[in-house]
Amino acid sequence: MKTVRVNKKGADRVRHGHLWIYRSDVIDIDADGGSVVSVKDERGNPIGQALFSNASQIALRFLTQGTEAIDREWWRQKIREAANRRHIPSDTDAYRVVYSEGDLLPSLIVDRYADVLVLQTLSQGTDALKSMLVEILVEEFDPIAIVERNDARVRELEGLPLTSGTIYGDAPQELETLQHGLKFLVAPSGGQKTGSFLDQRENRIAARNAAETTNRGRALDCFTFNGAFAIHLAGVCDQVAGIDISGEAVAGAQRNAELNNLSNVEFREANVFDALREMESTGERFDTIVLDPPAFAKNRASLKSALRGYKEINLRALKLLNRGGVLVTCTCSYHVSEELFVDVLTQAAIDARRRVQIIEKRMQATDHPVLVAMPETYYLKCLIARVV
């Protein structure tokens, strides 16, 4: 096996539980990009085995700190273990099967949508093993199709092409999935992420439960995308409105509402910032508001402007809530810590002159587990708050 040597800083990082070593901590390389390598410290002591990239700043993604053979059966067992850790309710058939570093399988993502699997191989290492991984997924899960969604920009950092399409079987352009008994149409080869935002799956149930304890009344779902929060709320609220800047997303959300025979939900195309200001000026009020925006902070450099954006929408939402109303506010920006996000809500509440209680702190769904020594795996924060 080829070998890569790293300095003490990199070695300590892995020995403390992180799975990445950066290029700046690599001191000697005898390996090809995309290969599984043996990693040693400056003194020649073994650290473990990792996927090596000759392009990314993340040079090493660790698979194990042991010396076992990283062969086909190793990958099969790790994928099987990840799948067996999922505890998915019987009325749900769309969820994440493998969550990369969170499942100790760095740069590998597998999502399930009914009988179709969606695969992402996001590093040189997993991309080199793609054919074998597809064979394992077919043998383990017997899908009707596997779709490759390797159009994520992170692959460019690995020197890999952006590709998307069916790589096994015959995938439908669109399929019907279940989320907690509700029906949603998903296009695995298009749309956001791998076809849907599976990481919010359990937060939608929490939002529905919180809304049910209020006046029920009117609900507003901002950045609605396919209408998932709105459709979950429709079962407990009198009226629900969903807003998204994308006309395509609004059309998809409307189709999902019709699929579930919902007559108390309506969607419209609008810029959320503008719409919230307009609603405030016309005196509209709601009993539940959901804020699930895209990541405002794509990197650390954009953090300051992102915090201003988060504060703005939370301020506007708080002004629109009736007393006793519930705000479900989210950030999927890794660079926005929970502490920072709570501070955003605090400052928004001060400026809105509203007293606010946080009644629940949540994160990404349990099929997106967080590796405690690797903060990069914890990106989604969700606060459920009440105006008192």
Side-chain angles (χ1 to χ4, degrees), residues 5 49 87 183 193 211 238 349 352 380 387-388:
R5 291 175 61 233
Q49 299 176 73
H87 299 285
K183 300 174 184 178
K193 289 198 172 182
D238 298 330
L380 178 59
V387 175
V388 293

mmCIF file of all heavy atoms in Angstrom, residues 5 49 87 183 193 211 238 349 352 380 387-388:
data_model
loop_
_atom_site.group_PDB
_atom_site.id
_atom_site.type_symbol
_atom_site.label_atom_id
_atom_site.label_comp_id
_atom_site.label_asym_id
_atom_site.label_seq_id
_atom_site.Cartn_x
_atom_site.Cartn_y
_atom_site.Cartn_z
ATOM 1 N N ARG A 5 2.981 10.540 4.760
ATOM 2 C CA ARG A 5 3.417 10.920 6.095
ATOM 3 C C ARG A 5 2.912 12.324 6.411
ATOM 4 O O ARG A 5 2.891 13.200 5.544
ATOM 5 C CB ARG A 5 4.946 10.863 6.207
ATOM 6 C CG ARG A 5 5.495 9.442 6.159
ATOM 7 C CD ARG A 5 7.012 9.417 6.151
ATOM 8 N NE ARG A 5 7.553 10.015 7.351
ATOM 9 C CZ ARG A 5 8.463 10.993 7.353
ATOM 10 N NH1 ARG A 5 8.887 11.514 6.221
ATOM 11 N NH2 ARG A 5 8.934 11.463 8.482
ATOM 12 N N GLN A 49 -5.706 4.411 7.827
ATOM 13 C CA GLN A 49 -5.807 4.347 6.374
ATOM 14 C C GLN A 49 -6.843 5.371 5.905
ATOM 15 O O GLN A 49 -7.863 5.571 6.557
ATOM 16 C CB GLN A 49 -6.214 2.949 5.928
ATOM 17 C CG GLN A 49 -5.205 1.868 6.338
ATOM 18 C CD GLN A 49 -5.697 0.487 5.969
ATOM 19 O OE1 GLN A 49 -5.719 0.109 4.800
ATOM 20 N NE2 GLN A 49 -6.106 -0.280 6.964
ATOM 21 N N HIS A 87 -33.590 4.244 11.901
ATOM 22 C CA HIS A 87 -34.874 3.800 12.457
ATOM 23 C C HIS A 87 -35.945 4.691 11.837
ATOM 24 O O HIS A 87 -36.327 5.720 12.388
ATOM 25 C CB HIS A 87 -34.864 3.885 13.975
ATOM 26 C CG HIS A 87 -33.808 3.022 14.601
ATOM 27 N ND1 HIS A 87 -33.924 1.655 14.689
ATOM 28 C CD2 HIS A 87 -32.593 3.319 15.140
ATOM 29 C CE1 HIS A 87 -32.849 1.143 15.264
ATOM 30 N NE2 HIS A 87 -32.020 2.140 15.546
ATOM 31 N N LYS A 183 -47.608 12.608 0.816
ATOM 32 C CA LYS A 183 -47.041 12.279 -0.484
ATOM 33 C C LYS A 183 -46.285 13.470 -1.076
ATOM 34 O O LYS A 183 -46.767 14.611 -1.022
ATOM 35 C CB LYS A 183 -48.163 11.862 -1.447
ATOM 36 C CG LYS A 183 -48.957 10.657 -0.985
ATOM 37 C CD LYS A 183 -50.138 10.409 -1.908
ATOM 38 C CE LYS A 183 -51.020 9.268 -1.412
ATOM 39 N NZ LYS A 183 -52.199 9.065 -2.296
ATOM 40 N N LYS A 193 -30.162 19.555 -4.019
ATOM 41 C CA LYS A 193 -29.460 18.445 -3.371
ATOM 42 C C LYS A 193 -29.636 17.168 -4.184
ATOM 43 O O LYS A 193 -29.334 17.119 -5.359
ATOM 44 C CB LYS A 193 -29.933 18.295 -1.920
ATOM 45 C CG LYS A 193 -29.447 19.434 -1.025
ATOM 46 C CD LYS A 193 -29.542 19.056 0.442
ATOM 47 C CE LYS A 193 -28.890 20.106 1.310
ATOM 48 N NZ LYS A 193 -28.923 19.751 2.740
ATOM 49 N N ALA A 211 -47.197 23.888 16.181
ATOM 50 C CA ALA A 211 -48.344 24.645 15.666
ATOM 51 C C ALA A 211 -49.648 24.149 16.271
ATOM 52 O O ALA A 211 -50.572 24.936 16.519
ATOM 53 C CB ALA A 211 -48.390 24.536 14.145
ATOM 54 N N ASP A 238 -55.589 26.212 10.111
ATOM 55 C CA ASP A 238 -56.761 26.545 9.298
ATOM 56 C C ASP A 238 -56.360 26.942 7.881
ATOM 57 O O ASP A 238 -56.973 26.522 6.907
ATOM 58 C CB ASP A 238 -57.545 27.689 9.952
ATOM 59 C CG ASP A 238 -58.076 27.312 11.323
ATOM 60 O OD1 ASP A 238 -58.351 26.110 11.533
ATOM 61 O OD2 ASP A 238 -58.195 28.200 12.188
ATOM 62 N N ALA A 349 -35.469 39.725 18.379
ATOM 63 C CA ALA A 349 -36.559 39.897 19.342
ATOM 64 C C ALA A 349 -36.485 41.274 20.014
ATOM 65 O O ALA A 349 -37.512 41.931 20.228
ATOM 66 C CB ALA A 349 -36.497 38.790 20.391
ATOM 67 N N ALA A 352 -37.619 43.810 17.490
ATOM 68 C CA ALA A 352 -39.057 43.667 17.219
ATOM 69 C C ALA A 352 -39.908 44.007 18.431
ATOM 70 O O ALA A 352 -41.130 44.047 18.337
ATOM 71 C CB ALA A 352 -39.351 42.249 16.757
ATOM 72 N N LEU A 380 -27.023 21.933 10.416
ATOM 73 C CA LEU A 380 -28.397 22.438 10.462
ATOM 74 C C LEU A 380 -28.814 22.726 11.904
ATOM 75 O O LEU A 380 -28.753 21.841 12.757
ATOM 76 C CB LEU A 380 -29.349 21.416 9.836
ATOM 77 C CG LEU A 380 -30.837 21.776 9.845
ATOM 78 C CD1 LEU A 380 -31.088 23.079 9.095
ATOM 79 C CD2 LEU A 380 -31.670 20.655 9.230
ATOM 80 N N VAL A 387 -43.718 33.477 20.924
ATOM 81 C CA VAL A 387 -43.880 34.877 21.319
ATOM 82 C C VAL A 387 -44.837 34.939 22.517
ATOM 83 O O VAL A 387 -45.948 34.421 22.448
ATOM 84 C CB VAL A 387 -44.434 35.714 20.160
ATOM 85 C CG1 VAL A 387 -44.710 37.141 20.624
ATOM 86 C CG2 VAL A 387 -43.454 35.718 18.994
ATOM 87 N N VAL A 388 -44.380 35.544 23.619
ATOM 88 C CA VAL A 388 -45.208 35.564 24.842
ATOM 89 C C VAL A 388 -45.508 37.005 25.254
ATOM 90 O O VAL A 388 -44.923 37.949 24.750
ATOM 91 C CB VAL A 388 -44.514 34.830 26.005
ATOM 92 C CG1 VAL A 388 -44.425 33.347 25.673
ATOM 93 C CG2 VAL A 388 -43.123 35.382 26.268
#
